[in-house]
């Protein structure tokens, strides 16, 4: 199971804004959620409390998305999520 969580506020398509679970701990992500599937068609993604993520100029497919408390996802006119 591929799992991501936001590391900080920023652009969805910047891998440095994400952490990925490697089976035992959270590590720096080498891709952003939805960029590659690594054989997993249903990645789990969490936007952490107070993190503000933005999608623009990209189409992102994330079937399992959790936005915690004061977290926020903004999809600009040039972006899509499905």
């Amino acid at each position: 199971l591929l799992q991501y969580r936001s590391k900080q506020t920023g652009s969805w398509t910047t891998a440095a804004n994400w952490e990925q679970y490697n089976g035992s701990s959270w590590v720096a992500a080498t891709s952003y959620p939805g960029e590659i599937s690594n054989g997993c068609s249903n990645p789990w993604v969490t936007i952490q409390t107070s993190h503000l993520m933005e999608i623009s100029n990209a189409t992102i497919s994330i079937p399992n998305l959790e936005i915690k408390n004061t977290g926020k996802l903004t999809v600009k006119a040039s972006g899509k999520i499905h």
Side-chain angles (χ1 to χ4, degrees), residues 13-28:
T13 57
T14 300
N17 293 333
W18 297 98
E19 294 178 316
Q20 188 174 347
Y21 192 68
N22 68 7
S24 59
S25 63
W26 290 96
V27 297

Side-chain angles (χ1 to χ4, degrees), residues 10-78:
S11 172
W12 185 287
T13 57
T14 300
N17 293 333
W18 297 98
E19 294 178 316
Q20 188 174 347
Y21 192 68
N22 68 7
S24 59
S25 63
W26 290 96
V27 297
T30 57
S31 62
Y32 60 83
E35 181 177 17
I36 57 174
S37 67
N38 287 341
C40 177
S41 59
N42 295 320
W44 285 87
V45 180
T46 301
I47 297 176
Q48 299 283 75
T49 299
S50 79
H51 291 176
L52 311 173
M53 302 305 291
E54 181 179 288
I55 296 174
S56 60
N57 299 315
T59 299
I60 305 296
S61 178
I62 298 298
N64 302 298
L65 175 64
E66 177 184 17
I67 301 174
K68 295 210 174 206
N69 299 321
T70 57
K72 186 184 281 188
L73 173 63
T74 302
V75 181
K76 297 287 189 173
S78 57

